[in-house]
């Protein structure tokens, strides 16, 4: 009997150590100019879980120090102020965001343009002195936005023309989400939801086999209710829309996504584009690019990017998706519907 009880205890102990109860831990901070949140479920102690969360946020803070276009100083600002004169060394673990940004510039024929910095600064949308810049200033700034003048080699980055300015705001949130996901996985966190200002990466799911469920919100409302929901696991979603940062003047909405051909905010029949991809950086860059390109050209681009899905929301409340993806979505707000064709 003693023997039996000892074995039973051992089995219970083994079971408990193999499958500890998964507890929720979460943390939210303001970094990269946006709200960054991570929630996770783990059998680790609260202290250990928070050590992992701290490691992830420390990395994001580090990214901010390298990539910010708005802080007093950053590696990116050094690159910009060295334009036309000096190549600037960039850490090996930061270089991939620059090379990936250039990749998307080349694959979108500049619709995604990391050299858009000068134009972004002119508009300053989302900041105190946002304004419609004089046309002459826009035309002048457009001369400094050729992404083919960005040279990346041997761990350095060089902007060939003095006056050029990089802005990685359209890919940095995704890159940060990818880095946070890597830190989660390296530390044995297998169930987490990482949300960097709306660019979301899902690892695993919630307890009891439940998936992570994410929403795509009403593009025209600042605090909109979700209009669509979908499950997300092992993938990322990024949404770009004309609703995130904007001001209105004379009935026209001036938002933060710039058409690099004109230097003005994009105007088309889209209110948002959401991209699903294995990489959050790719989802982020592609959602901005597809918003600039418009529906037809975005579909052409996406057909060359395996593993991506997209949801387009139009200004007449219709929704279109890449082939076959409609069935993954659940409409919550009945004012919206899938387009007939
Ligand atoms: P997102 O919210 O990811 O679509 O990125 C928008 C941000 O990217 C803006 O606030 C700008 O900093 C920058 N941006 C604006 N237009 C472009 C563009 N055409 N290509 C690349 N970055 C852009
Ligand atoms: Mg983006």
């Amino acid at each position: 009997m003693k023997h039996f009880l000892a074995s039973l205890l051992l089995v219970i102990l083994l079971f408990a150590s193999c499958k500890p109860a998964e507890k929720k831990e979460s943390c939210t901070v303001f970094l990269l100019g946006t709200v960054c949140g991570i929630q996770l479920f783990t059998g680790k102690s609260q202290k250990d879980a928070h050590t992992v969360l701290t490691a992830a946020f420390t990395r994001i803070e580090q990214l901010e120090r390298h990539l910010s276009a708005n802080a007093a100083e950053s590696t990116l600002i050094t690159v910009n102020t060295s334009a036309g004169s000096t190549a600037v060394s960039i850490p090996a673990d930061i270089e991939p965001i620059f090379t990936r940004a250039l990749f998307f510039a080349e694959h979108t024929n500049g619709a995604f343009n990391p050299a858009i910095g000068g134009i972004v600064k002119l508009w300053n949308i989302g900041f105190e002195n946002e304004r419609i810049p004089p046309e002459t200033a826009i035309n002048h700034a457009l001369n400094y936005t050729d992404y083919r003048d960005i040279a990346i080699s041997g761990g350095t980055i060089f902007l060939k023309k003095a006056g050029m300015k990089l802005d990685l705001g359209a890919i940095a949130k995704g890159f940060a989400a990818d880095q946070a996901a890597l830190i989660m996985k390296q530390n044995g966190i297998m169930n987490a939801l990482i949300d960097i200002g709306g660019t979301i990466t899902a690892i695993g799911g919630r307890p009891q086999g439940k998936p992570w469920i994410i929403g795509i919100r009403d593009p025209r409302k600042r605090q909109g209710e979700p209009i669509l929901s979908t499950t997300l696991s092992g993938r990322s979603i990024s949404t770009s829309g004309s609703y995130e940062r904007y001001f209105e003047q004379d009935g026209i909405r001036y938002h933060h996504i710039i058409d690099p051909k004109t230097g003005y905010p994009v105007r088309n029949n889209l209110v948002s584009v959401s991209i699903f991809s294995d990489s959050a950086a790719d989802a982020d860059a592609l959602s901005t690019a597809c918003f600039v390109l418009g529906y037809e050209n975005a579909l052409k681009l996406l057909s060359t990017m395996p593993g991506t899905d997209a949801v387009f929301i139009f200004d007449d409340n219709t929704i279109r998706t890449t082939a076959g993806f409609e069935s993954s979505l659940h409409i919550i707000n009945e004012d919206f519907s899938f387009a007939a064709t």
Side-chain angles (χ1 to χ4, degrees):
M1 186 65 182
K2 231 180 183 179
H3 212 80
F4 172 74
L5 282 177
S7 318
L8 188 67
L9 190 66
L10 188 70
V11 169
I12 291 169
L13 281 175
L14 270 177
F15 187 73
S17 64
C18 289
K19 200 104 183 87
E22 300 247 304
K23 285 194 304 304
K24 185 175 170 175
E25 302 294 343
S26 64
C27 188
T28 303
V29 297
F30 194 85
L31 283 170
L32 295 172
T34 192
V35 179
C36 305
I38 301 178
Q39 39 177 315
L40 56 83
F41 287 97
T42 181
K44 288 181 191 290
S45 69
Q46 189 181 40
K47 185 168 164 275
D48 288 350
H50 277 268
T51 303
V52 183
L53 286 168
T54 303
F57 286 118
T58 303
R59 176 67 178 143
I60 298 172
E61 209 179 338
Q62 202 180 58
L63 293 180
E64 179 174 82
R65 282 203 297 276
H66 286 301
L67 304 174
S68 175
N70 304 310
E73 52 184 37
S74 71
T75 309
L76 186 100
I77 289 170
T78 307
V79 169
N80 290 348
T81 52
S82 308
S85 65
T86 340
V88 175
S89 293
I90 40 169
D93 61 353
I94 298 291
E95 191 174 324
I97 188 174
F98 289 96
T99 45
R100 204 61 184 154
L102 204 49
F103 168 90
F104 283 111
E106 282 158 359
H107 282 78
T108 62
N109 203 15
F112 175 90
N113 187 350
I116 200 78
I119 303 276
V120 171
K121 278 268 176 269
L122 271 184
W123 286 90
N124 237 356
I125 291 172
F127 296 91
E128 240 170 53
N129 53 345
E130 54 192 10
R131 64 189 176 264
I132 303 173
E135 207 177 319
T136 47
I138 291 179
N139 289 336
H140 179 75
L142 281 175
N143 293 321
Y144 302 90
T145 57
D146 192 340
Y147 66 86
R148 286 163 297 196
D149 287 334
I150 304 171
I152 304 171
S153 84
T156 68
I157 181 152
F158 178 52
L159 307 180
K160 293 183 192 162
K161 201 168 169 178
M164 281 180 78
K165 281 191 181 69
L166 296 186
D167 180 318
L168 296 175
I171 187 172
K173 293 193 290 289
F175 188 72
D178 283 334
Q179 298 276 299
L182 192 67
I183 289 171
M184 291 295 129
K185 288 185 216 159
Q186 282 170 343
N187 287 282
I189 302 290
M190 302 325 263
N191 298 303
L193 195 71
I194 298 155
D195 182 347
I196 312 292
T199 295
I200 297 170
T201 298
I203 306 171
R206 294 178 293 150
Q208 280 130 30
K210 288 189 199 139
W212 292 110
I213 297 172
I214 55 104
I216 298 176
R217 68 185 180 85
D218 188 335
R220 273 152 299 189
K221 293 186 184 147
R222 280 214 190 258
Q223 300 295 330
E225 290 285 300
I227 61 156
L228 286 169
S229 69
T230 186
T231 58
L232 196 69
S233 184
R235 268 185 128 193
S236 299
I237 175 181
S238 172
T239 301
S240 286
S242 57
Y243 60 93
E244 286 174 80
R245 288 180 178 185
Y246 66 86
F247 67 93
E248 278 172 358
Q249 195 167 313
D250 301 328
I252 297 175
R253 179 178 288 197
Y254 297 95
H255 60 82
H256 70 144
I257 303 173
I258 306 291
D259 182 345
K261 286 207 180 87
T262 64
Y264 282 79
V266 174
R267 288 187 81 178
N268 57 26
N269 58 350
L270 288 169
V271 281
S272 77
V273 182
S274 301
I275 302 288
F276 294 75
S277 165
D278 290 348
S279 149
D282 288 10
D284 193 356
L286 283 170
S287 64
T288 311
C290 288
F291 191 86
V292 175
L293 288 169
Y295 177 65
E296 307 284 342
N297 286 326
L299 279 190
K300 279 188 207 147
L301 169 68
L302 293 173
S303 70
T304 69
M305 302 279 159
T308 54
D309 289 299
V311 179
F312 301 85
I313 300 179
F314 295 83
D315 54 13
D316 63 356
N317 284 8
T318 57
I319 302 164
R320 286 183 170 81
T321 69
T322 40
F325 198 59
E326 210 179 285
S327 58
S328 309
L329 305 172
H330 174 67
I331 293 183
I332 298 169
N333 183 335
E334 299 294 335
D335 293 342
F336 292 80
S337 59
F338 290 115
T341 52

